[in-house]
Amino acid sequence: MPLIQRHLFGPGPSNPYPEATAALGHPLLGHLDPAFLDVMDSACDGLRTVWGTDNRRTLPLSATGSAGMEAAFVNTVEEGDVVVVAVNGLFGERMCDVAARCGAEVVRVDFPYGEPIDPQRVAEAHPSPKIIAAVHAETSTGVRSDIAALGELKGDALLLVDAVTSIGGIELRADDWGVDLGYAGTQKCLGVAPGLAPFTISDAAFERRVQHPRSWYLDLGMLGGYVGEAQGRARTYHHTAPTAMIASLDAALRRIAEEGLENVWARHQAAGDALQAGLQDMGLELFAAEGHRLPELTTVKVPEGVDSAWVRAYLLEHFSVEIGAGVKEYANTVWRIGLMGPNADAGSVALVLGALQEALRKVPALV
Ligand SMILES: *Cc1c(COP(=O)(O)O)cnc(C)c1O
């Protein structure tokens, strides 16, 4: 069987940076090898840069972004704690589920899919929550919300942010914005395969954590001996870190640093702008509210009478291009096109626009 090379233009995973892929082929190191611990230190430094934080507890959790979500809540929620969750898409809904399973009294503040959250309404939803949680970049709808504004209104609450699709793609300044704890993923704009959850927590939030969380694996207090607090050789075994994945993450972070983080943000913006202009030139309508659209994840309405799944299958078969369907009630009426990591470039824009044009010319009429 020949290997299949896809253009991963869906909501993630994206194609990794070549440096990240190359690192996976390096000789494997043990998780306590001093040579590996240097890689871990370097990856944690690189993560602080893309998070925009000085938090010493900034680390890659050994699992995907969803485990980051679990870690955030399981380490901070005691039975009965009030958690306000802003919901404007699938990942906000998941936060409600995860927080409730941790015993939280969830105060859910809903916004229409395709619209950003209103920080004022979120902040006013409860007088004294322990946590206010929100998704920075809603991958399910292609919308960016204003985390800085929420940070200004959070009061004594801890601000918990999902940055899975924003990190390494658009402006993210955890410290400046008052983010107390955040989680992310590697397979979106960071341009690394799925498998790690970049995580950050401030000293103040760490002080307010659950002392004996229900999760052993994701217990930040225990993890601190291996990553986060301990540096270099002071580290002790907690679990076997996925050393190849961390080397791959480090390679991508170095690549991003070399290009310059703000240049990487600008590259994502330019690609997203070009894609969104091109789709509108084709007569298509964008789904996310104007002024709040993510450049790295574009949502576009499937034209009336067009079979969404047929088009996606055509793109995959004829162009090796993967795009995503919409979520929930938008499964057949919205497409999601991601241009993340190395895919945020003019060539990818031209490819996906050209491929989509051909598919729309060929699609049989729905009966
Ligand atoms: C992809 C994604 C997640 C979940 O991450 P996994 O790596 O799939 O576990 C969470 N939140 C957002 C906003 C995402 O886009």
Coordinates of all heavy atoms in Angstrom, one line a residue, residues 64-66 91 135 137 139 162 164-165 187-188, ligand 1:
T64 N -4.5 14.3 24.5 CA -5.0 15.4 23.6 C -5.7 16.5 24.3 O -5.8 16.5 25.5 CB -6.0 14.8 22.5 OG1 -7.2 14.4 23.2 CG2 -5.4 13.6 21.8
G65 N -6.1 17.5 23.5 CA -6.7 18.7 24.1 C -7.8 18.4 25.1 O -7.9 19.2 26.1
S66 N -8.6 17.4 24.8 CA -9.7 17.1 25.7 C -9.2 16.8 27.1 O -9.9 17.1 28.1 CB -10.6 16.0 25.2 OG -11.0 16.3 23.9
F91 N -17.6 23.1 22.0 CA -16.6 22.9 23.0 C -17.0 23.6 24.3 O -16.6 23.1 25.4 CB -15.2 23.3 22.5 CG -14.7 22.4 21.4 CD1 -14.8 22.7 20.1 CD2 -14.3 21.1 21.7 CE1 -14.4 21.8 19.1 CE2 -14.0 20.2 20.8 CZ -14.0 20.5 19.4
V135 N -14.3 29.5 25.7 CA -13.5 29.0 24.6 C -13.0 30.3 23.8 O -13.8 31.1 23.3 CB -14.3 28.1 23.7 CG1 -13.5 27.6 22.5 CG2 -14.8 26.9 24.5
A137 N -11.3 30.3 20.7 CA -11.5 30.1 19.3 C -12.4 28.8 19.2 O -12.0 27.7 19.4 CB -10.2 29.8 18.5
T139 N -13.9 26.1 17.4 CA -13.6 25.4 16.2 C -14.9 24.9 15.6 O -15.0 24.6 14.4 CB -12.7 24.2 16.5 OG1 -11.8 24.6 17.5 CG2 -11.9 23.8 15.3
D162 N -10.1 27.7 27.0 CA -9.8 26.8 25.9 C -9.1 27.5 24.8 O -9.7 28.4 24.2 CB -11.1 26.1 25.4 CG -10.9 25.1 24.3 OD1 -10.0 25.4 23.4 OD2 -11.6 24.1 24.3
V164 N -7.4 25.7 22.4 CA -6.9 24.6 21.5 C -6.7 25.1 20.1 O -5.6 24.8 19.5 CB -7.9 23.5 21.5 CG1 -7.5 22.4 20.6 CG2 -8.1 22.9 22.9
T165 N -7.6 25.9 19.5 CA -7.4 26.3 18.1 C -6.8 27.7 18.0 O -6.6 28.1 16.9 CB -8.8 26.2 17.4 OG1 -9.1 24.8 17.4 CG2 -8.8 26.7 16.0
Q187 N -2.4 19.6 17.5 CA -2.7 19.3 16.1 C -3.5 20.4 15.3 O -3.9 20.1 14.2 CB -3.5 18.0 16.1 CG -5.0 18.1 16.4 CD -5.2 17.9 17.9 OE1 -4.4 18.3 18.7 NE2 -6.4 17.5 18.3
K188 N -3.6 21.5 15.9 CA -4.3 22.6 15.2 C -3.2 23.6 14.7 O -2.4 23.2 13.9 CB -5.4 23.2 16.0 CG -6.2 22.0 16.7 CD -7.7 22.0 16.6 CE -8.2 20.7 17.2 NZ -9.6 20.7 17.6
Ligands
LIG1 C1 -10.1 20.1 18.9 C2 -10.6 20.9 20.1 C3 -10.7 20.3 21.4 C4 -10.4 18.9 21.7 O1 -9.2 18.5 21.5 P1 -8.8 17.0 21.2 O2 -7.4 17.1 20.8 O3 -9.7 16.6 20.0 O4 -9.0 16.2 22.4 C5 -11.2 21.2 22.4 N1 -11.5 22.4 22.2 C6 -11.4 23.0 21.0 C7 -11.8 24.4 20.8 C8 -11.0 22.2 19.9 O5 -10.9 22.8 18.7

